[in-house]
Amino acid sequence: MKKVELVFIPTPGISHLVPTVEVAKLLVDRDERLSITFLVMKLRSDPKVDRFIDSVCKAYNRIRFIHLSKLEPDPNQPNNLFVSLIESQKPNVKEEVSRLVRRSESSPGSPTLAGFVLDMFCTSMIDVANEFGVPSYIFLTSSAACLGLQFYVQALHDEQKVDPTEFKGSDTELVMPCLANPLPAKLLPSVMLNKEWLSFLITPTRRFRETKGIMVNTFEELESHAINSFSNGNTPPVYPVGPMLNLNRDGDPDVESDKFKDIRQWLDDQPPSSVVYLCFGSMGCFGVDQVQEIACGLEQSGHRFLWSLRQPPPNGKMEPPIDYTSPRDVLPEGFLDRTANTGKIIGWAPQIDILGHPSVGGFVSHCGWNSILESIWFGVPIATWPLYAEQQFNAFTLIAEMGLGVEIKMDYRGEFQLDGDEYSIVSAGEIERGVRCLMELDNEKRERLKEMSGKSRTVLENGGTSSTWLGRFIKDVMDHQP
């Protein structure tokens, strides 16, 4: 029985690491010939990442993590911090993989190197895989529709010589194979509408075409149209293997903390499906003007709420937001007293545990793909309020393609604008309307969501579609042994 090893290289950040580790767990559980080594890059120290990795190491002896030494990115590439960070790690990756190969050659029975599994932003590591004569695969932490969008825009740019940045501000609608409905160009990801940043997305997408296959964190029943659009043979094989969710929270210090026990106690005291949960992801935050509008909209809606309110980093830096020491300072006067019986303001909280609580009946979300998958799993409908990256596109697919959400403002762009445009303020009236639509959702949408929630829970079981695709991926890895 030939043992093989895959080297996984995720992008720095918990939202990319968690689903990537979840797929690694499934692979080693599924096939005892497989071992996996993660090469971990870090932009900054993150105790959450460290705790997560420790918990995986304790539970899985065929998954190991090697922390690459922290390197300073090239100061001449300030805009492409990620790109220069990942480029600078190539020598470290080569060294660690050489060590792995030497170990394999010197001890009979050790697994042999079978290939690299890369995050979408780590495609420059294909060069290193090529040096070792092994294939590369991608694990995509976003949707199948998003993969189709990337291929569409790359082909538009490279083959039809169309500059997608010209769609900025236009009313054009784009017809693409991965979507059943035309996409308003204004909902394209910001990087596709910005000349300086466009290559940040087009370059990796070109390299996707060099790989032996792309695993996607989605499932066939959720994105059948997008997944079928890859069957024409113009792209590497696509394997929908999701949803990848970290649901086992036993012993997680965040869940055991007094802060979360207080939140859980508050949720326990609310009626079933009565609370709207507002959370905007690991980077989501707003200025004081917008915070005040959200507060007024929530109060006017009359619905119970749990609001994860976080403070923007100083001077617009690209750093994660932090919890307010005193939220009262940014909220309308008297708001906390008037809503004391119906609402609760919190800082960061374990989202999965909140979405899984029976009193939560709606989710105002930034539409990160992980958050969408979590909300579908728990059958909690979303009101879309995208901020950055591909979130406007995700909001469109959730509403127009899947029919599983309602809109607050689909074309909103957050403060991390790439070109300094003024971001708009969503008014209290729009927020009130969105929250009411969400919490008073029609039965047809609720039924559709309930059905999709059920499917998301069975696709990874034996015989389920994602389980079958995962088996095909393993077979492909074994068939491409160097």
Side-chain angles (χ1 to χ4, degrees), residues 431-442:
I431 295 160
E432 178 193 352
R433 178 198 53 76
V435 169
R436 285 181 188 275
C437 282
L438 176 68
M439 298 307 280
E440 295 150 28
L441 200 65
D442 63 65

Side-chain angles (χ1 to χ4, degrees), residues 193-211:
L193 299 171
N194 179 281
K195 283 191 188 302
E196 207 178 330
W197 280 83
L198 183 61
S199 65
F200 183 65
L201 214 62
I202 293 218
T203 304
T205 309
R206 283 186 195 121
R207 304 220 64 183
F208 283 7
R209 297 183 185 275
E210 299 173 38
T211 65

Side-chain angles (χ1 to χ4, degrees), residues 278-318:
L278 296 89
C279 184
F280 297 90
S282 55
M283 297 295 281
C285 54
F286 298 101
V288 176
D289 291 353
Q290 185 62 78
V291 167
Q292 304 234 338
E293 294 293 322
I294 295 173
C296 294
L298 283 174
E299 191 174 353
Q300 288 161 19
S301 79
H303 284 283
R304 295 165 195 269
F305 64 85
L306 180 68
W307 178 8
S308 173
L309 172 60
R310 311 197 70 207
Q311 186 173 344
N315 312 325
K317 282 186 180 171
M318 262 298 247

Side-chain angles (χ1 to χ4, degrees), residues 308-357:
S308 173
L309 172 60
R310 311 197 70 207
Q311 186 173 344
N315 312 325
K317 282 186 180 171
M318 262 298 247
E319 288 175 6
I322 52 173
D323 292 356
Y324 278 102
T325 44
S326 173
R328 197 176 287 272
D329 298 344
V330 291
L331 292 163
E333 199 172 333
F335 172 79
L336 287 173
D337 303 321
R338 291 191 301 276
T339 59
N341 295 324
T342 55
K344 188 171 179 64
I345 302 282
I346 57 172
W348 183 88
Q351 182 164 290
I352 275 184
D353 304 277
I354 290 172
L355 288 174
H357 196 285

Side-chain angles (χ1 to χ4, degrees), residues 224-473:
S224 56
H225 182 93
I227 290 159
N228 289 337
S229 74
F230 300 114
S231 57
N232 58 14
N234 292 341
T235 63
V238 171
Y239 304 92
V241 296
M244 294 296 149
L245 306 173
N246 177 28
L247 296 166
N248 180 11
R249 319 284 285 155
D250 299 343
D252 185 327
D254 291 320
V255 179
E256 305 299 326
S257 70
D258 290 341
K259 199 186 282 186
F260 183 63
K261 283 175 184 163
D262 175 54
I263 295 168
R264 188 159 41 204
Q265 182 58 60
W266 185 84
L267 286 169
D268 288 346
D269 294 339
Q270 311 310 312
S273 302
S274 67
V275 176
V276 58
Y277 171 52
L278 296 89
C279 184
F280 297 90
S282 55
M283 297 295 281
C285 54
F286 298 101
V288 176
D289 291 353
Q290 185 62 78
V291 167
Q292 304 234 338
E293 294 293 322
I294 295 173
C296 294
L298 283 174
E299 191 174 353
Q300 288 161 19
S301 79
H303 284 283
R304 295 165 195 269
F305 64 85
L306 180 68
W307 178 8
S308 173
L309 172 60
R310 311 197 70 207
Q311 186 173 344
N315 312 325
K317 282 186 180 171
M318 262 298 247
E319 288 175 6
I322 52 173
D323 292 356
Y324 278 102
T325 44
S326 173
R328 197 176 287 272
D329 298 344
V330 291
L331 292 163
E333 199 172 333
F335 172 79
L336 287 173
D337 303 321
R338 291 191 301 276
T339 59
N341 295 324
T342 55
K344 188 171 179 64
I345 302 282
I346 57 172
W348 183 88
Q351 182 164 290
I352 275 184
D353 304 277
I354 290 172
L355 288 174
H357 196 285
S359 69
V360 174
F363 180 21
V364 176
S365 172
H366 65 307
C367 298
W369 186 243
N370 290 336
S371 291
I372 288 175
L373 290 177
E374 288 164 9
S375 77
I376 289 169
W377 178 274
F378 290 110
V380 177
I382 282 182
T384 63
W385 189 336
L387 303 180
Y388 54 88
E390 85 289 13
Q391 293 161 11
Q392 288 79 16
F393 179 78
N394 288 346
F396 174 82
T397 57
L398 185 77
I399 291 171
E401 300 283 302
M402 301 170 191
L404 296 177
V406 301
E407 180 181 355
I408 286 185
K409 193 165 176 62
M410 211 190 293
D411 59 354
Y412 181 87
R413 306 256 169 193
E415 291 179 58
F416 295 133
Q417 292 254 53
L418 301 176
D419 43 17
D421 284 3
E422 281 298 303
Y423 58 94
S424 54
I425 295 282
V426 183
S427 71
E430 290 173 289
I431 295 160
E432 178 193 352
R433 178 198 53 76
V435 169
R436 285 181 188 275
C437 282
L438 176 68
M439 298 307 280
E440 295 150 28
L441 200 65
D442 63 65
N443 285 337
E444 188 189 336
K445 268 193 180 147
R446 283 199 183 276
E447 275 307 306
R448 196 179 303 138
L449 181 59
K450 190 176 169 186
E451 187 186 337
M452 198 55 76
S453 172
K455 286 176 178 171
S456 77
R457 289 164 178 254
T458 58
V459 288
L460 279 161
E461 290 173 4
N462 199 12
T465 52
S466 292
S467 174
T468 303
W469 282 108
L470 200 73
R472 287 181 195 169
F473 172 76

